[in-house]
Amino acid sequence: MQRIGVFVCHCGTNIAATVDVKKVTEMALHEPGVVHAEDYQYMCSEAGQELIHKAIKEKHLTGLVVCSCSPRMHETTFRNAAEKAGLNPYMVEIANIREHCSWIHKDIEEATEKAVILMRAAIAKVNLDAPLKPGESKVTKRALVIGGGIAGIQTALDIAEAGYPVDIVEKTPSIGGRMSQLDKTFPTLDCSSCILTPKMGEVNAHPNVNIYTYSEVESVAGFVGDFTVEIRKKARSVDMDKCTGCGVCQEKCPSKKTPSEFNRGLDTRSAIYTPFAQAVPNVPVIDRDACIKFKTGKCGVCSKVCQAGAIDYDQVDEIITEKYGAIVVATGFDMIKLDKYDEYAYSQSKDVITSLELERIMNAAGPTGGHLERLSDGKAPKEMVFIQCVGSRCADERGKSYCSKVCCMYTAKHAMLIRDKYPDVNVTVFYIDVRTPGKNFDEFYRRAVEEYGVNYIKGQVGKVIPQPDGKLLVQGADLLDNKQILKEADMVVLAAAIEPNPDVRKIATMLTASIDTNNFLTEAHAKLRPVESPTAGIFLSGVCQGPKDIPETVSQAGAAAVKAIGLLAKDKLLTNPCTAHSDELMCNGCSQCANVCPYGAISYEDKEVNDHGVREVRRLAVVNDALCQGCGACTVTCPSGAMDLQGFSNRQILAEVDAICR
Amino acid sequence: MQELINRAKELLADGTVARVLGWKAGDLPYNPEPAYFEKEEDFADFVYNGFCGANLSKYMIEASKLEGKTLVCLKPCDTYSFQELMKEHRVDRDKAYIIGVGCKGKLDIEKIKAMGIKGIQGISGAEIEDAAETLTIQTIYGEKTCAYKDAMLERCHVCKGKDHMVFDETIGESKETKDADRFEEVEKIEAMSPEEKFAFFQKELSKCIRCNACRNVCPACSCRKCVFDSNKFDSAQKANVDSFEEKMFHIIRAFHVAGRCTDCGECSRVCPQGIPLHLFNRKFIKDIDELYGEYQAGADMEPRTPLTDYRFEDAEPGIVAERG
Amino acid sequence: MKTEKNRAEMIREISGVNPLKCMKCGKCSASCPSYNEMDIKPHQFVSYVINEDIEALANSTSLWKCLSCFACVERCPRDVKPGKLIDAARQIVVRERGQDYLTPDEIPELIDPETPQQLLVSAFRRYRR
Amino acid sequence: MSIEKNEGFRPKIVAFCCNWCSYAGADLAGSSRMTYSADVKIIRVPCSCRVNPMFILRAFERGADGVIMCGCHPGDCHYTSGNFYARRRMTLLFSMLDYIGVENGRTRVEWVSAAEGAKFSQTMHEFVDKITSLGKNVRLEDLRCRN
Amino acid sequence: MYKIAKENLTALFQKIAAEQELYLPVKNAGQVNFGVWTEDAEVDLDTLKSVKSPKDVFFPQSETLYTCIRDGKKIKVEPEALKEQNFVVFGMKACDVKGVEVLDKVFLVDPLDTFYAARRDHGTIVALACHEPEETCFCKVFGVDAADPSSADVATWIIDGMLYWKPLTEKGEALTESVKDLFEEDGSAEGTIEKEQEAIRGIVEKLPYMHLSLEGWNGDVLMEKFEDPLWEELYKPCLACGTCTFVCPTCQCYDIKDYDTGRNGVQRYRCWDSCMYSDFTMMAHGNNRKSQKERFRQRFMHKLVYYPANNEGMYSCVGCGRCVEKCPASLNIVKVIKAFQKQGGEQ
């Protein structure tokens, strides 16, 4: 049985003017378990807290009820007061008789009656309170960044600068990501690699950064502050320490027919390759599916020409296990596949290309050496048509429901660059809406129209028809002129929608980070916690969270880094003690609770139990206190009531219900 | 049936399974009981006929703890329950050898008795191989007949289909027995006035004796300790002292199995007081289908059930009032 | 005579189309083979239904110029399907005229069983003017 | 049943409010001095997804005449998805209560943000009026608890 | 001997109910159970067995014993009043009447169960013969004569549309006196009844369970039966529901529980318990029957061994067959008896 003290606050006249505090105090003494009751002008004052202190000491109180203002106001104050007097702070309950009573009722009798009931409910709850202690968990002072694009690079650099070691895991042979494939960037038109390459060098050289390229995350265990991650370092077949990056092997490699991933398949690469000249690390990998040595056993040219003796055909995948305190996801995006858009003839004509393919064509290091030409016959185009929103803003299953956000701007960039470099080429853009929210964005678009004479037509294209003479007949509509347009073009560029990197689903599952129907990672709060995942210790950087352009990506990357640093800077994490707990004798191990847990805090283990003499091994739910935030979703999902929430237990809430309805 | 027996004996003999879970003939023509068969000679009593309505899935919870595999005979509808139990990790698929047995609709002795047929000595036409549409019943008071269809369990009139959801092999043909709309009764109640609804359920539930047969037979009610038996939740009830407790028990039970109930109909089959308990479960199934998309528990191994899932655009609870 | 509101409602019901989903991209007009012969263009159909100006739609030549080729239905990114709207408008006009050129039992003899139903129905509406 | 007929009837109403939005909304109603009936008593829960249907039935058993649950607006849940689960649970529960003939309107769910003090007070006004017009809860009451 | 035409029974019920409570088989939502007679109750005398036995007329499924009311920090205890009004139970069958005898031997011995005793004192049993026994009946095995419910206060038979009424005890005479004006006397009734009884006994002979042997079951075989490995097999289909115990006319176990009503104090009540339940006889240290096998065994050991050991060989099964009809897993006492018999035969 508890020894409960009830303290009724006047709050000056805020409470006392409407609630008969003396009566409430007197009524308290009739309640079971109450051994002390008093009222005071301001319970939250020093003097008020002293009264509480004294009563705890003198009456050996085991629980407190404070009838005062909202617990959102002073719960912490009274908990601290209790702790100072040696009482567990979680043995305190607040009856909110100000905001929920005196301030909203006028009739003294009515308000007093309600205050007594609220007090009874709090007493009923404190009767079932148990002392709680916040848990502590350690923080491993190391961060993992998944993805080595501009988002991952920026996040890693910022964390490294703050003095914490960071590992980047990048799936491809080089960091750089999508940005390395771009030619110029809007709205400033600076060269993409000119701004990216130094960053790549910087991150590579940073003493706090360790980069695993050609590597993938294999598994993730643990929780905030203490993740254990297995990284699969795929066999590169080249010794990274020995290779000097001279490039002879690539030159001499006889297998040169593999479509280049970096150039979006517009040209080919050798079997031993670095994706692009500025690759970091500048160490090639052998594509074992394309390599003649691996396919037939005969060849070995690269090994012969390598003076450093770096070629190692026997290399095997390596699993690296590392501990991290924080994980940042920066897995980026890809363009959607266009196989469902037959009407735009993408698969029928080589001259219908995507915008990212155009980037490579425009790039000096690209398949055409930066010269704008038709891929079918190498001729210079005279008429170019850009089609917007291919697969974006789409209500059916062919495309994506969202706006890809970057297409309007990069199309303006492309149009402008083409008109600038090839003034004789006519450029027509078919658009639905031109969206340019961003600093200097609309000005940029207007320049394309006004200074460069790009022809913008409001209306979507219905069909692109390849003609026998190699031209492309574009059938579109001009909605403002109310005309149907038939236009012959030499090249058509499709602004295909972007989608999160398909690997993200696998990664999100490993991290128990939630993901939306479009495969974008969900943020902990759409407005207030946009760079955190609901799963503690997981942060989001770049397009994996939603479509964005480079400056936005970089700012988010910095924000994610700050959040990660904030976590790494802590020596220990105090965990909320109001967490869920499963009664092992009642748990069915059915996994329903884990399905609703937003934090992935529930796992299962096989454990031997002694159920009143029956010993058996059972599958049981185990809640990780460090991850559980105490929402209670699991408690209602659990049919047997095995899962309960400390501080808001089933019996406590039922006791409150009973007290109110009495 | 002989094919089933032969195959079971074969699997037992070659050590594939350690025991067979099927039905043993009863001492009356209509009361076979679930039973384990471990030796060749046990099979003398093995039976599989129209009265083998019992869903053996639930027995597999205990059988999963035994040494070796258990061969279990599951009817098409039973396999939904089994799969749902697999999903909830309550049975071990590796410990089960499932023979999907054919079904031509199971019989309800209560329906036969309700026709005024009493003093039953023998029933023919209930064997699984019989093509007969009629049951011939020998009684102390003379021979009676009734149509097979008229003696079928309610659940067979709204059969989910002839396919087994999970099995190692199947033996025997099934027959399409569905001839009624699954939600017809629910709709009839929905159309009533609140007073009529209340009177209807008050009357039905007043018969409840809290024997817990519905709960204990239910494959979805597989809790080691039911909330209604547990002091931990402050919700233990052993008897219905007030009519409120009848409602509390049945509403909460239906709620706890909502999204997990396969509509196997065992609750209604076993209720000694003939309470149409499936009306609770089916109401939830209907609501789930209408509000969150058609869903059949036990038809797949997707971990999330309708109540452990959501969509942003889900209906608001106010829809209940709006629907009227 | 039904009110314009009723008629608009009927068009929505018959076509199963929610015109409010349209984002005015014009892909339908861009795709339409009969575009030049139409007075009301395919991308405009939705506005007439939204504004409940069905009379104009009913008197429009477009109603009978539409070939029911369903290119617009196929390509519409918003699932609005102008071809179905126009087909529904056609149906309303035909119903209001109370016309019936063929009796139902004459039809099966006249058609190839492979013909898509939808094409058939809309062709009837179009050619029995 | 008319409101006049129920004059003098004081309903018992239990309101479950989530700590982050609705309880704060109720606090705001208080600090803005927006009155509502004293018949409403609030129980604080961490999230609407903590509300077990058994709590609601228990309230009715013990003589409550109406039960309302308030949570963060869908999409704004402090725990990201709690109120989505709560929404499905309550929808099904309310539908079942309706199905067994409990008067529509004895239960309600309302999403109230921390900024919506006025909405909280308005909602409570409406709810108390509704329950007053429905009168005493007799269909879900345990007679042992009746006075 | 008296008689009354079947169609005049409503008048009889009205007359009895005017004076005292009348319980009889009533059909509610398709099922027949004993209930209080009202003008619109659907009386059903044709269904042989009520789902529940009528034992709850004397031993209700739940009843309050006393209430504790808190006043400040004092507690007041208010015992529940005993039954003070007379009542009549009409239509109990011979087996059910025998069931009451079984209960009497538990509740009417020292320490006397005052709640039960009060109900027994105030209740008059009017029994009705079973005219069409069914295949699930095996009352004869336990010495019950379905044709002659003679241990009641009044025995009745319905033959050719006539109800024959034979008072047997003082209570029966008193009841008869109060309704006599509705009856006519029939001197030749004995003969009619004897003829009917012969017919009933003839049917009984043909019932499948009639020759069930109780050999080997008595109060002396406790350890032998208790330790028999057969239980390990028998219990397996049992679902641990309480159907058999709750429909049984002789199961007498109850649990005592508290219910906090809030403003009306804490009610201490008792309710039927079932040995099939996992918390049966749960004590502070836990449960002494840990497995379903032990709980299952308890029920049959009690009926066929423990009870006879304490009551001069009287079994606490009356062969009503309700468990045979209602068990969801088709288990029942007959199967248990037969299984042991078979095993005995083999040995």
Side-chain angles (χ1 to χ4, degrees), chain A residues 623-649:
Chain A
V623 178
N624 184 328
D625 284 342
L627 292 181
C628 176
Q629 306 289 313
C631 66
C634 54
T635 60
V636 183
T637 302
C638 180
S640 68
M643 196 58 95
D644 209 349
L645 188 63
Q646 299 191 128
F648 290 96
S649 72

Side-chain angles (χ1 to χ4, degrees), chain A residues 47-68:
Chain A
Q49 292 187 47
E50 188 49 43
L51 289 177
I52 293 175
H53 191 99
K54 212 172 118 209
I56 292 174
K57 290 288 183 200
E58 284 174 6
K59 303 265 176 90
H60 308 289
L61 301 182
T62 60
L64 299 186
V65 167
V66 186
C67 305
S68 60

